[in-house]
Structure formats: C-alpha cells, structure tokens
Amino acid sequence: MIPKLKKGLLAGAIATSALATAGTASAADMVALLLPENVNPRWEQQDAAAFLATMAEIAPDIKVEVFNANNDTATQQRQAEQALTQGAKVLVVIPIDGESSAIIADTAAEEGVPTIAYDRMINSANTTFWVQADLEGMGYDQAMHVIENTMDGDTLVLLKGSPTDPNAAVIHNGQLRALQSLFDSGKRVMGYENWTPGWDPAIARRSMDQALTQLNNNVQGVVSSNDGNAGAAIAAMEEQGMAGTVPVSGLDCTVQAQQLMLLGKQTQCGWRPLADMADAAARVTVRLVNGEDFSDLAPQTVVNGVGAEVAYVPVGSYSAVGAEGVAYVIENDPSITKEMVCQGEAAATGFCQ
C-alpha cells in the first residue's frame, strides 16, 4: 500500500505570490548557489535547475553564480569566499558538513551577507533561512516499507548516509524509530550497517559486498538512506542473483531509481518536491537582495544545532512504491518525464508500454 502524501507547510503564498518589487534589483546584483557535490545528480539536474528557473522568472536582473565543491569542505569554503569577493548579496548553501559550513555563514555575516541553508541545516547563529522536508519521517517510511515486506527473524542491512551530512543522522533516527524495538525483540536482525562518506555509491557498493560476504547472502531487506546507496546495493545483489527478491528503500526518486522500481529491483523511494524547495529558496533570496521582509514566506522557525532560531519552510513528502509511486512522481515532479524513465530495460515494462 502506498502511504499518503504527507502535507508540508509550503504555503501557497510561496508558490503563487508575485514579487512585485523584484524589479528593484540592480543589474549588478549577484547571488551564489553553492552545491555540495555531483555524485548525486539531483543537485545540478533538479535543485540548481529549478532554482535558476525561478530566479530567471521572478528576478531576471539578478545574476546567479553556481559553484560545486565536489565533496570537499575546504573547496566549498573557498568558493564562498570567492562569491563574497565577487559581491554576492546572498549565499544559498547546500553544505557538505553542517558544522564546518558554519564558517561560511559567519564569514558572510561579517560582510553583511545573509546565508540560506538549503536542504541541509547550517549550524550557525547566522543562518537566515532553511527549507527542507521531514527527513526523520522519510527515514521512518523507508524502514516501515522494509519491515512490511519482511518477516519475523529476517536479516536486514542498513546503508546509511554520509557521516558529515546532518541530514543522514536525521534519516537514520527515523529508521531506528521503526526498527529499534524489532531489533531488540529479535523480530528483525541487524545483519550489517555502515555509513557512506560523501554519499558515494562506490563506498555503498563495497559495504553491500561486505554485508553479503559476511552474511553468506542471508539478507532479506535493505534499508538504504538514498537512491545512490540503493542502486549500489542492487548492483551487488545482482551479481548474487538476488536483485528483485529483496525490498530496497531509497530517497530522491531519481530517474535511475524509478527505472529500478519499474523493474522490481528497488521497491521504495522517498520523494520531496525539490522544485518547490528551490522555488521557496529563490523567493526568499530575492526578498533578501532587496532588503525586504520575508516572514510571510517562512511561517515557522526551527532551532538549529547551536540554539539559533532559523526561519523555516517545511515541504511535504511522499513514499513512492512500485509503478503507482513512479506515476505519482512523474505527475508531480516537473524535472522528470515518463520519456526519461522509460529508457533501457524499463522501456519494456508494462508501465512504459
């Protein structure tokens, strides 16, 4: 059964409000979007693309410089410094490390430049705004999917996210909320677990190979924290003739993940409206460039890791399962089309015919 869409509080005001004053930005205004890496295609193909599209629509006079740090925290800090030197009025940062990225927000604040934390929280007193879905709840959904598709006594593998990404721990906490009591009672067995530095699928693949070796292929479920890890686990199980027989969770609902779902090899992925997240960040960015209040766009606050209150826009999420889940994502994600998904092996599935 596919869980219902979890309603976030991405207010209609953000999705529909026209920024009548957007035109007040000068031709010299520039903002910087700092991406963490290109291992996961979503950052460039979905998040950055959606942010650029919204900025072009509502504030065409504001230039957007996009940087990618390739999973190097020192590089991301240098890129932020470069952006500030170039005169950036706002930094929109997807941090590699929620702790060390505080240096970016603090340095920007010294120059009077606000910092938006996109997707991942920045633990600084100078974080101005944050947009994100309920990742703890999405981790819970991942684990519940695997629980519902396994039996008492079954052995599970947990492929966790990057230890430096604050989101990874939040996702894992959600997984444990569903799993810990079952591990304690023996109704499920924790066979193997490992973190995945940099969310690198190559590392996740090594972890899954190790798990299969150590457990002699006695694995009945894989709780994977994102689609990259899921794809790596499936590739490892493919070699053992196990792919398609074991439930595998994921996050992001990439094109590859949806193809694997149509083939029955990945069975779940958590989806967030990345276009809405990018839209919210862009609209707040324009308000900040123009020196305007944005409280009507960010109706809530959260407390970050250093005790600072940060304006916050939560978005909804959806646990996609099977072909019906793929159909939902395609219908609701403007960055993904049926034609994109229905390529390769997936083209022969009933969904694509």
Side-chain angles (χ1 to χ4, degrees):
M1 187 174 90
I2 300 177
K4 294 180 181 178
L5 174 66
K6 294 182 175 179
K7 298 292 185 182
L9 296 176
L10 184 59
I14 293 178
T16 60
S17 68
L19 296 186
T21 56
T24 62
S26 75
D29 285 335
M30 184 269 280
V31 300
L33 174 62
L34 279 69
L35 308 180
E37 37 89 353
N38 56 13
V39 172
N40 294 298
R42 61 162 283 201
W43 301 122
E44 294 182 350
Q45 296 176 13
Q46 293 174 273
D47 299 271
F51 182 82
L52 289 167
T54 301
M55 290 296 293
E57 176 189 348
I58 66 175
D61 291 335
I62 298 178
K63 182 180 180 182
V64 181
E65 292 283 358
V66 181
F67 300 83
N68 195 313
N70 294 314
N71 259 330
D72 187 295
T73 55
T75 296
Q76 191 166 63
Q77 289 172 10
R78 286 195 299 271
Q79 289 172 340
E81 292 167 3
Q82 179 183 345
L84 292 170
T85 299
Q86 292 175 358
K89 300 291 182 66
V90 177
L91 299 185
V92 182
V93 183
I94 306 167
I96 298 167
D97 183 328
E99 304 301 325
S100 65
S101 60
I103 297 170
I104 293 174
D106 295 345
T107 301
E110 291 173 3
E111 301 191 24
V113 174
T115 297
I116 289 174
Y118 180 93
D119 191 80
R120 301 170 180 172
M121 177 59 83
I122 298 173
N123 289 321
S124 163
N126 294 304
T127 303
T128 302
F129 170 75
W130 182 49
V131 56
Q132 181 52 281
D134 176 13
L135 288 177
E136 197 270 352
M138 296 181 81
Y140 178 85
D141 288 344
Q142 291 172 336
M144 284 304 300
H145 169 77
V146 174
I147 290 168
E148 290 166 359
N149 288 278
T150 52
M151 302 173 62
D152 285 359
D154 280 352
T155 298
L156 309 184
V157 170
L158 268 64
L159 296 179
K160 300 178 287 189
S162 178
T164 61
D165 178 356
N167 285 352
V170 174
I171 293 167
H172 183 52
N173 287 341
Q175 295 166 351
L176 289 182
R177 179 158 62 89
L179 288 166
Q180 193 61 60
S181 63
L182 298 179
F183 289 152
D184 292 344
S185 68
K187 289 185 176 179
R188 298 294 185 279
V189 177
M190 164 65 78
Y192 180 96
E193 64 176 329
N194 206 1
W195 295 96
T196 309
W199 293 95
D200 188 339
I203 296 174
R205 172 62 191 271
R206 289 197 294 272
S207 293
M208 192 65 197
D209 284 336
Q210 291 171 3
L212 293 172
T213 298
Q214 291 178 19
L215 299 168
N216 195 27
N217 290 351
N218 180 30
V219 175
Q220 286 78 46
V222 179
V223 181
S224 162
S225 289
N226 83 337
D227 291 339
N229 286 2
I234 290 163
M237 290 191 291
E238 196 97 59
E239 289 192 352
Q240 305 300 320
M242 298 169 61
T245 67
V246 174
V248 181
S249 67
L251 178 73
D252 289 334
C253 292
T254 62
V255 169
Q256 181 192 30
Q258 292 182 70
Q259 292 169 337
L260 289 170
M261 287 172 67
L262 292 177
L263 295 169
K265 296 177 181 180
Q266 181 172 333
T267 54
Q268 184 268 0
C269 67
W271 178 80
R272 296 162 287 174
L274 300 181
D276 287 352
M277 289 174 60
D279 183 86
R283 293 181 185 278
V284 171
T285 294
V286 174
R287 294 283 185 95
L288 290 170
V289 169
N290 292 330
E292 298 168 353
D293 178 71
F294 64 89
S295 58
D296 59 314
L297 302 182
Q300 293 189 13
T301 61
V302 294
V303 176
N304 69 9
V306 295
E309 277 199 359
V310 180
Y312 170 53
V313 170
V315 298
S317 65
Y318 175 76
S319 181
V321 178
E324 189 176 348
V326 171
Y328 180 94
V329 173
I330 289 173
E331 181 181 353
N332 290 278
D333 192 328
S335 70
I336 296 175
T337 65
K338 184 173 181 178
E339 290 71 27
M340 293 166 65
V341 174
C342 291
Q343 300 291 326
E345 283 185 80
T349 63
F351 177 87
C352 295
Q353 297 300 305

